[in-house]
Structure formats: C-alpha cells, structure tokens
Amino acid sequence: MNNYSPNIIAVSKTFSIDHIKPLIDFGHMHFGENKVQEAKEKWEKMKIENKNIILHMVGKLQSNKVKHALKIFDYIHSLDNEKLAEKLAKEQINLNKNPKIFIQVNIGGEDQKSGINKNHLSSFYEFCLKLNLNIIGLMCIPPNDNRSGKFFSEIKKLALNLNLNEISMGMSNDYIQAVENNATFLRIGSSIFGQRN
Ligand SMILES: *Cc1c(COP(=O)(O)O)cnc(C)c1O
C-alpha cells in the first residue's frame, strides 16, 4: 500500500460557511453535508466561486429531493432503495448530470439504520447497473459499539467481490480502523470542525 492516500471529506453539516471558510481557503476540496436544503444555502455560491470544491451528500436522501440534490452534490453516499435508484436514474438524464454514487450497506444489520441488507447487495447492484447509475463503491455506518474494524473489513470484502474500488467509511471515532481497512473516502466532521450543537 505504498501510494495509499484516502480522500478526507470534511463533513460540515450544521457549521456556517464562515466556520468552514479557512479550510476552503487552505485548498481543501472534499466537503460533506447531510441535508439538501442546507447544502444549497451554504454551498451554491461557494461552488461557483471555487470550482475545485467537491460536495458529498452523506445523509439520508428522500426521493422527492433528488432533483435539488443532483444540482448541488457531486457524490451521493446514501443510495439505499430501488425507488431512490429509479429517481436518480431519471433525474440524472433530465439534468444531464453524472453523479458518483455509493450504495449504503447496513453492515451491522441494524433495524434503525438505513442501507441495503448485505444479502441483497449483489442483486441491488445489478438493478442499479441496469439503470445506468455510476456506482463507484460502498458506504457504511457501522454499529456504535467499538467494533468498527470488524465491519470495515467485512465491507471491504463485499466491495472486492463486486469489483468496486471505492469505500466510504470512517468517522471521527473510527477513522483509524477505516484507514487500516483501506477506506478511500473518510467522512470526518467533529474532529475537524469541533462538536456540533
Ligand atoms: C455527521 C456524519 C459524519 C461525520 O461524523 P463525525 O462523527 O462528526 O465525524 C459522517 N458520516 C455521516 C453519514 C454523517 O452524518
């Protein structure tokens, strides 16, 4: 792994653009938000002024917000159902966009969490390919029980099996384990910007 160097997404949800600005001025490129409306308000102008900024949707995406999401986000990390896949397929044509998309996997099999069940992953992936979605990798949020490493190594295998190169995993609490398992996109919020209210 000589050239391993994961992308760091600075997850700036809840923070004002004034708070984020020093990082933009420093030249950081990848930023993450979890709400479409907030992203639009904060980033629309900023993205026009800074063409290098790449914006990632890391939160739950409702089908009725897809159109607005595709106008502002370059990557979608949270594709987790067929209806959303169909909507993305339709709107990416209408808007002439080609978003990079992660399938979110419910790696811990938790009822309260979003994501495709790992047993349905390969059929869901096939479904997405038929819709011409640009699926680049898998995303997960493991259970909050200090066993992230185990789940990260599991999702790494799932990605390998599907020949997907990108893995979106690792947050402030578990990014070290994510790096140990070759995450390609870390999503880090509070360790960069401070605690959220
Ligand atoms: C908020 C958020 C993060 C960042 O979380 P931190 O613990 O603050 O690093 C990462 N991923 C998703 C999906 C989030 O909603």
Side-chain angles (χ1 to χ4, degrees):
M1 296 307 297
N2 290 329
N3 299 316
Y4 174 66
S5 149
N7 297 290
I8 296 174
I9 302 171
V11 179
S12 51
K13 64 190 185 198
T14 76
F15 290 103
S16 71
I17 210 77
D18 286 345
H19 195 91
I20 305 163
K21 193 76 178 20
L23 204 50
I24 300 171
D25 292 342
F26 181 73
H28 191 77
M29 286 168 47
H30 293 278
F31 292 89
E33 293 285 342
N34 69 339
K35 294 201 172 93
V36 176
Q37 185 60 28
E38 181 182 347
K40 187 174 144 73
E41 282 162 20
K42 274 158 69 175
W43 291 98
E44 201 163 43
K45 182 156 158 275
M46 202 48 83
K47 278 190 91 186
I48 294 167
E49 290 166 5
N50 298 269
K51 300 282 183 217
N52 291 333
I53 289 174
I54 299 168
L55 206 58
H56 296 257
M57 174 54 169
V58 301
K60 178 98 187 149
L61 181 57
Q62 309 293 341
S63 307
N64 61 1
K65 303 239 171 83
V66 164
K67 188 172 164 185
H68 290 292
L70 290 190
K71 286 183 184 165
I72 189 87
F73 288 107
D74 305 288
Y75 287 66
I76 307 286
H77 289 244
S78 46
L79 172 54
D80 65 354
N81 68 76
E82 295 189 350
K83 186 179 165 207
L84 179 58
E86 283 167 343
K87 188 76 178 178
L88 283 164
K90 188 174 146 213
E91 293 295 350
Q92 72 174 7
I93 295 172
N94 287 346
L95 297 166
N96 193 23
K97 296 271 185 183
N98 187 25
K100 295 183 173 73
I101 300 172
F102 291 87
I103 296 174
Q104 182 170 353
V105 181
N106 188 349
I107 197 68
E110 296 172 282
D111 289 341
Q112 74 276 22
K113 282 229 176 91
S114 301
I116 298 290
N117 183 301
K118 61 190 173 196
N119 300 323
H120 303 150
L121 178 60
S122 63
S123 62
F124 183 73
Y125 176 57
E126 293 297 323
F127 179 81
C128 294
L129 290 185
K130 286 195 193 110
L131 291 171
N132 280 320
L133 293 178
N134 184 13
I135 305 293
I136 62 164
L138 302 180
M139 178 275 215
C140 73
I141 306 173
N144 193 11
D145 64 359
N146 296 315
R147 288 183 302 150
S148 294
K150 164 185 178 288
F151 293 107
F152 290 162
S153 105
E154 202 176 338
I155 202 149
K156 179 176 155 183
K157 285 189 198 117
L158 294 173
L160 208 62
N161 285 340
L162 296 176
N163 253 318
L164 289 166
N165 292 326
E166 309 297 342
I167 312 176
S168 165
M169 62 185 183
M171 309 181 14
S172 293
N173 287 333
D174 55 13
Y175 66 88
I176 306 271
Q177 291 96 307
V179 165
E180 285 166 357
N181 286 286
N182 310 112
T184 61
F185 286 87
L186 308 172
R187 308 179 312 266
I188 303 185
S190 47
S191 287
I192 295 175
F193 296 111
Q195 286 304 322
R196 286 179 297 273
N197 292 323

